[in-house]
């Protein structure tokens, strides 16, 4: 692990592009909040992080081209000069900030969409979801049943038909989950292993009730027989 920056388990494209760089991008664009959850017994130790997705900036909103640079406020380079970022850096930021790791290799992320989240999910977010998003198998059985019901009632557009239904249900109803990462050696190569698990404190009954309220079954009306005189 000597080739990796301390706490940042990825190889940066540039020495300045550390986790703090990507974190500042997401905060500046109002796309995520990151909270440190500290150990009450030892306030210097981070138990885990919360990653709260608040929104996405679209390619159209960015400007003429993805490589168009914006100035990063609140952070300067090692030499004290200004730092800049492109839309490519913005996309990378969602992934890179979650590559933080502690010395014990047991760090976890509490992930959730903000309650005010709205707007269109970009296509490039699929890559992030494949690495960090939950899978139905970790959900409790009643919530899995509700996912199948949600799938049967949701009306797809051309854009959102490319995404898994679980992504829409998770983002719309703020279903929390936990993401972790570790390493394994396979064929003499060091590979990242991503895993997710259920958050035991999540109350699912209000979620299930709200989904059935938002997507009720159609009312079947009895048609009276027509009699001819």
């Amino acid at each position: 692990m000597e080739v990796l920056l301390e706490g940042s388990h990825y190889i940066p494209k540039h020495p300045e592009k550390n986790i703090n760089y990507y974190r500042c991008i997401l905060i500046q664009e109002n796309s995520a909040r990151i909270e440190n959850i500290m150990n009450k017994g030892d306030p210097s130790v981070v138990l885990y992080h919360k990653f709260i997705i608040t929104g996405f900036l679209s390619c159209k909103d960015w400007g003429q081209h993805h490589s168009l640079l914006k100035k990063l406020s609140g952070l300067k380079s090692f030499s004290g000069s200004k730092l800049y970022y492109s839309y490519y850096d913005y996309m990378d930021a969602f992934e890179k900030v979650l590559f933080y790791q502690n010395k014990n290799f047991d760090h976890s992320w509490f992930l959730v969409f903000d309650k005010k989240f709205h707007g269109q999910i970009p296509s490039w977010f699929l890559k992030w979801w494949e690495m960090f998003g939950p899978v139905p198998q970790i959900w409790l059985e009643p919530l899995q049943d509700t996912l199948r019901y949600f799938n049967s009632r949701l009306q797809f557009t051309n854009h959102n038909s490319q995404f898994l239904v679980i992504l829409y249900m998770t983002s719309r109803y703020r279903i929390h989950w936990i993401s972790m990462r570790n390493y394994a050696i396979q064929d003499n190569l060091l590979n990242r292993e991503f895993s997710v698990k259920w958050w035991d404190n999540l109350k699912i009954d209000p979620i299930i009730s709200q989904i059935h309220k938002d997507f009720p079954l159609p009312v079947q009306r009895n048609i009276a027989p027509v009699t001819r005189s």
Side-chain angles (χ1 to χ4, degrees), residues 26 32-34 50-53 94 97-98 109-112:
L26 294 178
R33 299 196 310 274
I34 302 173
K50 281 187 178 181
F51 186 74
I52 305 166
I53 300 173
F94 281 88
V97 293
L98 298 186
W109 287 87
F110 175 95
L111 304 174
V112 66

Side-chain angles (χ1 to χ4, degrees), residues 104-122:
N104 297 325
F105 289 83
D106 60 359
H107 186 264
S108 60
W109 287 87
F110 175 95
L111 304 174
V112 66
F113 285 82
D114 186 74
K115 61 182 179 181
K116 295 182 179 180
F117 173 83
H118 65 278
Q120 196 173 75
I121 298 173

Side-chain angles (χ1 to χ4, degrees), residues 98-224:
L98 298 186
F99 281 167
Y100 170 85
Q101 186 57 277
N102 59 26
K103 295 180 180 179
N104 297 325
F105 289 83
D106 60 359
H107 186 264
S108 60
W109 287 87
F110 175 95
L111 304 174
V112 66
F113 285 82
D114 186 74
K115 61 182 179 181
K116 295 182 179 180
F117 173 83
H118 65 278
Q120 196 173 75
I121 298 173
S123 300
W124 52 260
F125 191 68
L126 276 170
K127 178 187 175 184
W128 185 97
W129 189 260
E130 290 175 356
M131 290 190 292
F132 304 107
V135 292
Q137 291 81 358
I138 69 170
W139 284 7
L140 302 179
E141 189 61 37
L143 201 58
Q144 292 187 39
D145 292 338
T146 306
L147 175 62
R148 288 186 280 269
Y149 175 82
F150 183 75
N151 185 31
S152 69
R153 304 299 300 155
L154 184 65
Q155 295 183 351
F156 291 96
T157 64
N158 289 335
H159 176 78
N160 65 26
S161 61
Q162 65 186 307
F163 300 107
L164 296 173
V165 176
I166 189 173
L167 170 53
Y168 284 102
M169 184 166 154
T170 301
S171 61
R172 181 164 181 166
Y173 297 99
R174 300 190 70 244
I175 300 175
H176 314 57
W177 75 99
I178 297 171
S179 175
M180 298 164 291
R181 191 186 73 258
N182 215 317
Y183 297 92
I185 297 177
Q186 184 177 7
D187 298 329
N188 294 322
L189 296 175
L190 185 65
N191 296 322
R192 289 193 185 99
E193 289 186 339
F194 298 91
S195 61
V196 289
K197 70 176 185 178
W198 177 252
W199 187 53
D200 293 333
N201 292 333
L202 181 64
K203 300 183 184 302
I204 65 172
D205 289 343
I207 296 172
I208 294 173
S209 298
Q210 188 62 49
I211 290 174
H212 282 274
K213 181 179 179 180
D214 293 342
F215 298 92
L217 288 171
V219 177
Q220 295 183 351
R221 301 180 183 275
N222 294 325
I223 301 176

